[in-house]
Each structure stands twice: as C-alpha cells, then as structure tokens.
Amino acid sequence: MEESPVLDQSVRRSGALIDYLARHLRRRSESALAPLGLRTRHLVALTVLRDRTEITQRDLATALVLDSTNIVGLLNELEERHLVERRRSPQDRRRHVVSLTDDGVTLLCRAETALSAVEDEVFETLDPEQRAQLHELLVAATSAAPDSFC
C-alpha cells in the first residue's frame, strides 16, 4: 500500500484564496455594471479604446483575444448604444478604425466609479498601504502571463 504524501502545512498556497476573491469580485462587479447596461467584456473593450485612442478592429480583436465574429458582435452592441464609432481607415479602406465616443467616455467613467466602490467593499479590511502592496504583487505575478494586460 502506497502512502499518500503529507502536505507541508507551513507552505501557504494562495491560489484558492485568489480564486475565491476573484469570483466574489466578479459577482459584485457584474452587479454594479448591470444597471449601466454593461458586461465585463464591454468594460474591457471601452477601457482598451480609451487607452489606445483609436485602434483598428483587427488590433482590438487581438488585444481582447477575440475572433473576428465575436469582435463584430461586441462592437455592434457598443455602436448601437453610441459608445464607440467605427469608420473606414483612411490609409486602408478595407479596415475599420474604432474609437470611443463622448458617450462611451462618460459611461466608462460611471462604470469605473461603480467598480471602485466594489473594490472598496471587497478589500475593506485592507488599509491603503496593504491595497497598494496587493496591487503591486498582482502586477508582478501577472506580468509573466502570456496575455498580460498590465
């Protein structure tokens, strides 16, 4: 009979705690975004567009790790609400350039305010220094990921 390995209780594993916090944060974030008519994928797209000012549809799909069918659907949803604008590229008429509209900027600011309140709630037991340290550690941990967004 083979003996099962004994776990070293002195070694602390963080994966399960990070997963728990991520799920809790995701649920609370989705609840905060719902009244604004946004889902997480909308928020990420709007954020990328704000940070890049103007981007081709293909480059946006790459940044969001979406295929061409899904990026078209996402942009259709955002364009219907006048949050983004698509137009032909002056350099290459076969491509579309996507940019954030003023309405998109306004809604993104409202969403970020709502999400800031969610983070304040989820991380209320941490003081500002601990929250800054957590952020730094998460940036460091995710910087090695192949699709890092930091």
Side-chain angles (χ1 to χ4, degrees), residues 116-134:
S116 179
V118 167
E119 281 195 24
D120 288 344
E121 176 190 316
V122 171
F123 298 118
E124 70 184 345
T125 59
L126 301 180
D127 65 38
E129 185 178 310
Q130 290 171 319
R131 285 178 67 170
Q133 183 180 22
L134 175 62

Side-chain angles (χ1 to χ4, degrees), residues 104-123:
V105 170
T106 299
L107 189 60
L108 180 57
C109 287
R110 288 179 58 204
E112 288 176 333
T113 299
L115 293 176
S116 179
V118 167
E119 281 195 24
D120 288 344
E121 176 190 316
V122 171
F123 298 118

Side-chain angles (χ1 to χ4, degrees), residues 2 13-14 30 56 69 75 91 102 112 128 138:
E2 192 175 314
R13 302 287 178 211
S14 301
E30 288 169 354
T56 66
T69 304
L75 290 175
Q91 291 81 19
D102 290 341
E112 288 176 333
L138 292 171

